[in-house]
Amino acid sequence: AHENTGLQSQLPPEEQNYGATAAPVRQDLLMSVSSNGPAKRDYLIAAVLCYANLINFMDWFIVPGILLDIQKYFELSDGGAGLLQTVFILCYMLAAPIFGYLGDRYNRKIILGAGIFFWSGVTLGSSFISELHCWIFFLSRGLVGIGTASYSTIAPTIIADLFEEGKRTTMLSIFYIFIPVGSGLGYVLAAGMAGVTGDWHWAFRITPCMGGLALVLLILLVPHKTQRRTAAHRALSISGTIRVAAEKPGVQRTAKTTWCQDVASLAKNWSFVWSSLGLTAMAFVTGALGMWVPLFLYRAQVVQGIVSPCLQESCDSSNSLIFGGITIGTGILGVIAGAEAARRLRKINNKADPLICATSMFISAPCLYIALMVAQTNILSTFV
């Protein structure tokens, strides 16, 4: 079946692509690949990657879902609790470019599998850390960040390679739906397990089991190589193509590029640069909200006299459950609405994507401000 063959393996050595600055592949081969629509197995592979993405983001947001319990257990201040997420994000940030570089040059299935196994094992191990070894818990969150970076940077590229332009946006939209769904389920899982068992440690023992299933599915269903339907597009859309010789028959035309050369090439793509800066700003806000909103709402309720201060080890996690549900519902609605709006507006304006991104974030800013201000008087209005 054609889905089991890699485009690079079909090319002679001199025409294989390496890195973000690879030159275009032969036009005739590209046309033959593009003419083949996605097979059923392609959709199955995408489903496996979406499932693993779900677990990935569930694991991200277990800590915020039971942050109050963790603070009490390890006797952490707000600064110490915030440092947990800082360690996670810093390790993720530093590891992501490295895995992106490796994913361009080595077997992506092996990297994905190793990442899932690594972060699942570390998460499971962190559930057995005693209150006397707080520093090990911080270390474990950093290691989880490294493991998840290997997945988040590589999995979308496989989906992009499996589907052509007509279906690629739809499939990637489905993949990204599992970011808010997984985030919300992380809150729900953490709060639910803490409530049912009376011990927050159990929240860290569910996702590793799900990660084990994802690893088995990855091994059984995802091929070692996927045909790159976007090879020419990638080479043409990024400036700075490196050529080692003139384009003559029998002369090698492309060379392996270094990580620094790839980054320098991307830095010349201003659309990429500005999109990255916009995403950074959005991630800063959503990361802060994701970490602190349940605790913020709990403290607002204490101030209003709605709930009593938590003195026992297992505290009320209803805010995490509600916030998780809101994250799931509005996340799905936002991704679907954004993708559909972009599809329709793109017919009349080729800048539809950045316009929708900018408009939606601009509208969300006053809503966020209002939510934070009304929390001191009405929790329901904050949720709305």
Side-chain angles (χ1 to χ4, degrees):
H2 71 273
E3 66 269 19
N4 292 322
T5 60
L7 178 58
Q8 288 190 0
S9 64
Q10 299 172 18
L11 289 168
E14 66 272 16
E15 294 186 8
Q16 290 188 6
N17 289 4
Y18 297 94
T21 57
V25 298
R26 291 183 309 185
Q27 186 67 23
D28 57 339
L29 181 57
L30 180 63
M31 292 296 293
S32 65
V33 171
S34 299
S35 62
N36 294 320
K40 291 182 179 179
R41 186 172 182 181
D42 293 342
Y43 291 105
L44 190 60
I45 294 170
V48 172
L49 296 176
C50 288
Y51 170 67
N53 197 40
L54 175 77
I55 305 167
N56 186 14
F57 279 87
M58 286 179 64
D59 200 67
W60 276 41
F61 287 91
I62 288 178
V63 169
I66 48 175
L67 184 60
L68 187 58
D69 291 325
I70 293 176
Q71 277 189 280
K72 293 176 66 64
Y73 184 79
F74 289 113
E75 298 182 354
L76 296 175
S77 64
D78 284 351
L83 186 60
L84 273 175
Q85 196 74 344
T86 301
V87 169
F88 176 90
I89 291 299
L90 283 177
C91 290
Y92 180 95
M93 180 183 71
L94 295 174
I98 297 174
F99 284 114
Y101 177 83
L102 296 176
D104 275 341
R105 289 156 177 78
Y106 300 100
N107 191 299
R108 292 178 289 180
K109 178 178 178 178
I110 294 177
I111 298 174
L112 288 180
I116 294 174
F117 178 80
F118 183 75
W119 101 61
S120 297
V122 172
T123 299
L124 180 62
S126 66
S127 68
F128 298 100
I129 299 173
S130 71
E131 65 272 21
L132 301 177
H133 299 89
C134 178
W135 66 272
I136 300 180
F137 191 75
F138 280 85
L139 176 63
S140 70
R141 294 312 295 171
L143 295 177
V144 169
I146 294 175
T148 54
S150 67
Y151 187 85
S152 297
T153 54
I154 295 177
T157 67
I158 295 179
I159 293 180
D161 286 345
L162 289 174
F163 299 93
E164 297 175 357
E165 190 66 34
K167 294 184 179 292
R168 190 179 307 131
T169 301
T170 300
M171 296 307 299
L172 285 174
S173 296
I174 295 173
F175 178 82
Y176 288 124
I177 279 179
F178 287 92
I179 293 179
V181 172
S183 303
L185 286 177
Y187 291 104
V188 173
L189 171 67
M193 290 303 298
V196 171
T197 64
D199 183 0
W200 61 268
H201 293 85
W202 281 97
F204 289 92
R205 298 167 186 168
I206 302 300
T207 52
C209 298
M210 300 173 67
L213 176 59
L215 182 59
V216 171
L217 294 175
L218 181 77
I219 294 173
L220 295 178
L221 300 177
V222 177
H224 283 283
K225 294 182 179 180
T226 54
Q227 57 183 7
R228 296 177 178 267
R229 297 175 183 268
T230 58
H233 172 76
R234 287 176 179 166
L236 291 172
S237 62
I238 301 176
S239 61
T241 298
I242 296 177
R243 298 181 181 276
V244 297
E247 293 190 13
K248 297 180 181 179
V251 178
Q252 184 173 342
R253 296 185 303 161
T254 61
K256 291 184 179 181
T257 58
T258 66
W259 183 85
C260 291
Q261 288 171 327
D262 286 352
V263 172
S265 177
L266 288 171
K268 299 175 184 178
N269 187 327
W270 286 106
S271 176
F272 173 83
V273 171
W274 286 112
S275 296
S276 298
L277 292 174
L279 182 61
T280 301
M282 185 191 73
F284 180 89
V285 175
T286 55
L289 289 175
M291 185 68 180
W292 294 109
V293 160
L295 185 59
F296 170 79
L297 293 174
Y298 160 76
R299 290 175 176 172
Q301 290 172 328
V302 171
V303 170
Q304 296 178 38
I306 299 175
V307 299
S308 301
C310 177
L311 301 178
Q312 68 273 21
E313 182 177 336
S314 182
C315 302
D316 179 31
S317 302
S318 58
N319 287 319
S320 293
L321 289 171
I322 297 172
F323 187 67
I326 291 175
T327 302
I328 295 171
T330 56
I332 293 174
L333 179 62
V335 173
I336 294 176
E340 180 62 19
R343 186 185 67 84
R344 293 176 178 271
L345 186 60
R346 203 178 292 120
K347 298 177 181 179
I348 58 176
N349 191 326
N350 60 1
K351 294 184 178 181
D353 294 331
L355 286 175
I356 290 174
C357 290
T359 302
S360 60
M361 287 202 290
F362 183 80
I363 294 174
S364 71
C367 294
L368 172 59
Y369 178 80
I370 293 171
L372 297 177
M373 291 300 102
V374 301
Q376 58 187 326
T377 58
N378 191 309
I379 299 297
L380 180 60
S381 298
T382 300
F383 279 126
V384 173

mmCIF file of all heavy atoms in Angstrom, residues 27-49:
data_model
loop_
_atom_site.group_PDB
_atom_site.id
_atom_site.type_symbol
_atom_site.label_atom_id
_atom_site.label_comp_id
_atom_site.label_asym_id
_atom_site.label_seq_id
_atom_site.Cartn_x
_atom_site.Cartn_y
_atom_site.Cartn_z
ATOM 1 N N GLN A 27 9.279 17.228 -9.852
ATOM 2 C CA GLN A 27 7.882 17.568 -10.070
ATOM 3 C C GLN A 27 7.050 16.350 -10.431
ATOM 4 O O GLN A 27 5.921 16.207 -9.983
ATOM 5 C CB GLN A 27 7.782 18.630 -11.183
ATOM 6 C CG GLN A 27 6.368 19.174 -11.393
ATOM 7 C CD GLN A 27 5.909 19.980 -10.199
ATOM 8 O OE1 GLN A 27 6.713 20.481 -9.426
ATOM 9 N NE2 GLN A 27 4.600 20.073 -10.025
ATOM 10 N N ASP A 28 7.623 15.439 -11.252
ATOM 11 C CA ASP A 28 6.830 14.297 -11.675
ATOM 12 C C ASP A 28 6.502 13.379 -10.513
ATOM 13 O O ASP A 28 5.392 12.847 -10.429
ATOM 14 C CB ASP A 28 7.569 13.516 -12.771
ATOM 15 C CG ASP A 28 8.950 13.055 -12.318
ATOM 16 O OD1 ASP A 28 9.479 13.654 -11.349
ATOM 17 O OD2 ASP A 28 9.485 12.111 -12.937
ATOM 18 N N LEU A 29 7.443 13.212 -9.611
ATOM 19 C CA LEU A 29 7.191 12.362 -8.462
ATOM 20 C C LEU A 29 6.175 13.009 -7.542
ATOM 21 O O LEU A 29 5.293 12.344 -7.003
ATOM 22 C CB LEU A 29 8.488 12.106 -7.703
ATOM 23 C CG LEU A 29 8.380 11.197 -6.463
ATOM 24 C CD1 LEU A 29 7.792 9.850 -6.865
ATOM 25 C CD2 LEU A 29 9.744 11.016 -5.822
ATOM 26 N N LEU A 30 6.282 14.332 -7.345
ATOM 27 C CA LEU A 30 5.327 15.036 -6.504
ATOM 28 C C LEU A 30 3.922 14.906 -7.054
ATOM 29 O O LEU A 30 2.959 14.697 -6.311
ATOM 30 C CB LEU A 30 5.719 16.511 -6.398
ATOM 31 C CG LEU A 30 4.788 17.384 -5.542
ATOM 32 C CD1 LEU A 30 4.815 16.895 -4.090
ATOM 33 C CD2 LEU A 30 5.188 18.848 -5.614
ATOM 34 N N MET A 31 3.769 15.021 -8.355
ATOM 35 C CA MET A 31 2.450 14.900 -8.966
ATOM 36 C C MET A 31 1.875 13.516 -8.750
ATOM 37 O O MET A 31 0.688 13.343 -8.496
ATOM 38 C CB MET A 31 2.547 15.210 -10.463
ATOM 39 C CG MET A 31 2.879 16.671 -10.758
ATOM 40 S SD MET A 31 1.584 17.797 -10.203
ATOM 41 C CE MET A 31 0.273 17.310 -11.322
ATOM 42 N N SER A 32 2.720 12.490 -8.850
ATOM 43 C CA SER A 32 2.223 11.127 -8.671
ATOM 44 C C SER A 32 1.794 10.882 -7.242
ATOM 45 O O SER A 32 0.829 10.174 -6.978
ATOM 46 C CB SER A 32 3.302 10.117 -9.066
ATOM 47 O OG SER A 32 4.410 10.212 -8.183
ATOM 48 N N VAL A 33 2.511 11.486 -6.274
ATOM 49 C CA VAL A 33 2.136 11.320 -4.877
ATOM 50 C C VAL A 33 0.857 12.081 -4.576
ATOM 51 O O VAL A 33 -0.032 11.601 -3.885
ATOM 52 C CB VAL A 33 3.293 11.805 -3.962
ATOM 53 C CG1 VAL A 33 2.840 11.847 -2.520
ATOM 54 C CG2 VAL A 33 4.493 10.889 -4.117
ATOM 55 N N SER A 34 0.745 13.318 -5.092
ATOM 56 C CA SER A 34 -0.411 14.143 -4.808
ATOM 57 C C SER A 34 -1.688 13.556 -5.378
ATOM 58 O O SER A 34 -2.777 13.827 -4.895
ATOM 59 C CB SER A 34 -0.196 15.555 -5.365
ATOM 60 O OG SER A 34 0.924 16.139 -4.741
ATOM 61 N N SER A 35 -1.575 12.770 -6.425
ATOM 62 C CA SER A 35 -2.772 12.226 -7.050
ATOM 63 C C SER A 35 -3.415 11.146 -6.203
ATOM 64 O O SER A 35 -4.568 10.796 -6.416
ATOM 65 C CB SER A 35 -2.410 11.654 -8.430
ATOM 66 O OG SER A 35 -1.490 10.587 -8.277
ATOM 67 N N ASN A 36 -2.677 10.610 -5.239
ATOM 68 C CA ASN A 36 -3.225 9.587 -4.381
ATOM 69 C C ASN A 36 -3.891 10.230 -3.178
ATOM 70 O O ASN A 36 -3.250 10.966 -2.429
ATOM 71 C CB ASN A 36 -2.125 8.635 -3.905
ATOM 72 C CG ASN A 36 -1.546 7.828 -5.045
ATOM 73 O OD1 ASN A 36 -2.282 7.376 -5.920
ATOM 74 N ND2 ASN A 36 -0.229 7.656 -5.039
ATOM 75 N N GLY A 37 -5.167 9.983 -2.983
ATOM 76 C CA GLY A 37 -5.870 10.520 -1.837
ATOM 77 C C GLY A 37 -5.492 9.764 -0.582
ATOM 78 O O GLY A 37 -4.878 8.717 -0.627
ATOM 79 N N PRO A 38 -5.848 10.319 0.595
ATOM 80 C CA PRO A 38 -5.519 9.640 1.846
ATOM 81 C C PRO A 38 -6.241 8.307 1.967
ATOM 82 O O PRO A 38 -7.427 8.196 1.663
ATOM 83 C CB PRO A 38 -5.996 10.640 2.912
ATOM 84 C CG PRO A 38 -7.008 11.493 2.220
ATOM 85 C CD PRO A 38 -6.556 11.585 0.802
ATOM 86 N N ALA A 39 -5.537 7.280 2.397
ATOM 87 C CA ALA A 39 -6.123 5.964 2.579
ATOM 88 C C ALA A 39 -6.755 5.868 3.961
ATOM 89 O O ALA A 39 -6.574 6.732 4.812
ATOM 90 C CB ALA A 39 -5.034 4.900 2.410
ATOM 91 N N LYS A 40 -7.503 4.780 4.181
ATOM 92 C CA LYS A 40 -8.156 4.594 5.476
ATOM 93 C C LYS A 40 -7.134 4.532 6.592
ATOM 94 O O LYS A 40 -7.366 5.005 7.698
ATOM 95 C CB LYS A 40 -8.993 3.322 5.450
ATOM 96 C CG LYS A 40 -10.232 3.412 4.550
ATOM 97 C CD LYS A 40 -11.042 2.134 4.614
ATOM 98 C CE LYS A 40 -12.286 2.243 3.738
ATOM 99 N NZ LYS A 40 -13.094 0.991 3.772
ATOM 100 N N ARG A 41 -5.973 3.936 6.286
ATOM 101 C CA ARG A 41 -4.959 3.830 7.321
ATOM 102 C C ARG A 41 -4.420 5.196 7.717
ATOM 103 O O ARG A 41 -4.009 5.397 8.863
ATOM 104 C CB ARG A 41 -3.817 2.926 6.859
ATOM 105 C CG ARG A 41 -2.804 2.663 7.969
ATOM 106 C CD ARG A 41 -1.779 1.635 7.607
ATOM 107 N NE ARG A 41 -0.869 1.406 8.720
ATOM 108 C CZ ARG A 41 0.141 0.569 8.672
ATOM 109 N NH1 ARG A 41 0.372 -0.135 7.581
ATOM 110 N NH2 ARG A 41 0.934 0.424 9.711
ATOM 111 N N ASP A 42 -4.411 6.134 6.784
ATOM 112 C CA ASP A 42 -3.976 7.486 7.118
ATOM 113 C C ASP A 42 -4.856 8.091 8.209
ATOM 114 O O ASP A 42 -4.370 8.747 9.138
ATOM 115 C CB ASP A 42 -4.000 8.379 5.877
ATOM 116 C CG ASP A 42 -2.956 7.959 4.850
ATOM 117 O OD1 ASP A 42 -2.017 7.233 5.230
ATOM 118 O OD2 ASP A 42 -3.088 8.353 3.682
ATOM 119 N N TYR A 43 -6.167 7.881 8.090
ATOM 120 C CA TYR A 43 -7.089 8.387 9.100
ATOM 121 C C TYR A 43 -6.892 7.660 10.424
ATOM 122 O O TYR A 43 -7.028 8.258 11.498
ATOM 123 C CB TYR A 43 -8.531 8.235 8.625
ATOM 124 C CG TYR A 43 -8.891 9.143 7.479
ATOM 125 C CD1 TYR A 43 -9.012 8.655 6.182
ATOM 126 C CD2 TYR A 43 -9.113 10.510 7.687
ATOM 127 C CE1 TYR A 43 -9.345 9.490 5.119
ATOM 128 C CE2 TYR A 43 -9.447 11.353 6.638
ATOM 129 C CZ TYR A 43 -9.558 10.847 5.355
ATOM 130 O OH TYR A 43 -9.875 11.672 4.320
ATOM 131 N N LEU A 44 -6.581 6.390 10.369
ATOM 132 C CA LEU A 44 -6.325 5.623 11.585
ATOM 133 C C LEU A 44 -5.063 6.129 12.288
ATOM 134 O O LEU A 44 -5.036 6.253 13.521
ATOM 135 C CB LEU A 44 -6.189 4.140 11.248
ATOM 136 C CG LEU A 44 -6.160 3.156 12.427
ATOM 137 C CD1 LEU A 44 -7.446 3.267 13.234
ATOM 138 C CD2 LEU A 44 -5.979 1.731 11.922
ATOM 139 N N ILE A 45 -4.036 6.415 11.501
ATOM 140 C CA ILE A 45 -2.807 6.981 12.069
ATOM 141 C C ILE A 45 -3.096 8.321 12.734
ATOM 142 O O ILE A 45 -2.641 8.598 13.849
ATOM 143 C CB ILE A 45 -1.742 7.147 10.972
ATOM 144 C CG1 ILE A 45 -1.306 5.782 10.434
ATOM 145 C CG2 ILE A 45 -0.535 7.916 11.496
ATOM 146 C CD1 ILE A 45 -0.448 5.863 9.190
ATOM 147 N N ALA A 46 -3.892 9.159 12.047
ATOM 148 C CA ALA A 46 -4.247 10.459 12.616
ATOM 149 C C ALA A 46 -5.028 10.291 13.916
ATOM 150 O O ALA A 46 -4.833 11.064 14.870
ATOM 151 C CB ALA A 46 -5.067 11.262 11.603
ATOM 152 N N ALA A 47 -5.901 9.284 13.987
ATOM 153 C CA ALA A 47 -6.673 9.037 15.210
ATOM 154 C C ALA A 47 -5.766 8.664 16.372
ATOM 155 O O ALA A 47 -5.959 9.121 17.507
ATOM 156 C CB ALA A 47 -7.701 7.936 14.957
ATOM 157 N N VAL A 48 -4.750 7.841 16.097
ATOM 158 C CA VAL A 48 -3.793 7.456 17.141
ATOM 159 C C VAL A 48 -3.034 8.688 17.647
ATOM 160 O O VAL A 48 -2.853 8.877 18.859
ATOM 161 C CB VAL A 48 -2.808 6.403 16.614
ATOM 162 C CG1 VAL A 48 -1.692 6.147 17.620
ATOM 163 C CG2 VAL A 48 -3.529 5.106 16.295
ATOM 164 N N LEU A 49 -2.610 9.542 16.729
ATOM 165 C CA LEU A 49 -1.874 10.740 17.114
ATOM 166 C C LEU A 49 -2.766 11.706 17.898
ATOM 167 O O LEU A 49 -2.302 12.365 18.840
ATOM 168 C CB LEU A 49 -1.321 11.431 15.866
ATOM 169 C CG LEU A 49 -0.282 10.627 15.071
ATOM 170 C CD1 LEU A 49 0.128 11.370 13.810
ATOM 171 C CD2 LEU A 49 0.949 10.318 15.916
#
